[in-house]
Amino acid sequence: MGETVATDATVEMDEARFWRLIERCRPPWSDPDAEDLAAALVERLAARPAAVTAAFAETLSRLLWELDRRELGEDASSDAFLYTRAAVVAAGEHTFRAVRADPARFAPFATGAVWAESLLYVPDRAWRRLTGEGWERRTRYSYESCSNRAGWQRG
């Protein structure tokens, strides 16, 4: 039905392009759970070749993996930590870089239960719209909590 593309995403989207896409799709109104951002991203990705969706998924996974660190998520459940990391990405490049550089900047996300679970499903929803099929996504980086072993080492 749709375009045939390998499901192993091995090419990342240029990070600047990823952040521009996030900024262009972010609504001008409050979107605390990133539902509107996710819907806009699906629309935008579904209008591009499937390879763009695969590259978006790879980059999103890597960015979430970079935030998967003990000092950010030690006291959170796996799901809560994943959804708050997604909220950091949904907040944009400036916020992402600030949190990555200074773990104290993560506190408003963790203590305020700011979740953006919907961002995680963007590639799957765009893929289905493009191909009519479910996607067996296999990215180089796992975004699941505690998958970044270096980030969880003590010391």
Side-chain angles (χ1 to χ4, degrees):
M1 174 178 209
E3 182 176 342
T4 302
V5 175
T7 58
D8 285 327
T10 56
V11 177
E12 290 184 39
M13 178 179 277
D14 172 81
E15 198 170 311
R17 185 175 178 199
F18 177 89
W19 290 121
R20 279 193 307 273
L21 183 59
I22 294 289
E23 290 305 318
R24 288 179 181 148
C25 291
R26 180 178 297 116
W29 53 84
S30 176
D31 186 24
D33 294 327
E35 293 287 338
D36 294 328
L37 170 63
L41 286 165
V42 169
E43 289 297 319
R44 184 75 59 103
L45 290 170
R48 306 285 303 153
V52 175
T53 296
F56 176 89
E58 185 66 41
T59 303
L60 175 62
S61 294
R62 180 180 54 79
L63 295 172
L64 292 169
W65 181 85
E66 287 180 15
L67 294 174
D68 183 23
R69 302 185 337 233
R70 178 179 302 282
E71 67 269 20
L72 299 179
E74 188 167 38
D75 297 324
S77 73
S78 292
D79 286 346
F81 184 45
L82 173 57
Y83 304 155
T84 54
R85 286 184 288 132
V88 170
V89 172
E93 181 179 17
H94 175 75
T95 300
F96 173 83
R97 293 196 187 291
V99 167
R100 194 173 63 185
D102 180 5
R105 300 265 184 127
F106 187 70
F109 294 91
T111 58
V114 179
W115 289 7
E117 179 182 7
S118 58
L119 185 62
L120 304 174
Y121 306 116
V122 165
D124 304 276
R125 290 176 178 153
W127 188 269
R128 181 168 294 284
R129 292 241 337 250
L130 282 163
T131 68
E133 300 173 2
W135 185 17
E136 189 68 33
R137 180 177 11 159
R138 290 183 289 269
T139 54
R140 184 175 333 160
Y141 299 92
S142 172
Y143 59 61
E144 294 299 334
S145 296
C146 304
S147 64
N148 179 351
R149 290 184 185 181
W152 284 85
Q153 289 180 348
R154 294 204 184 266

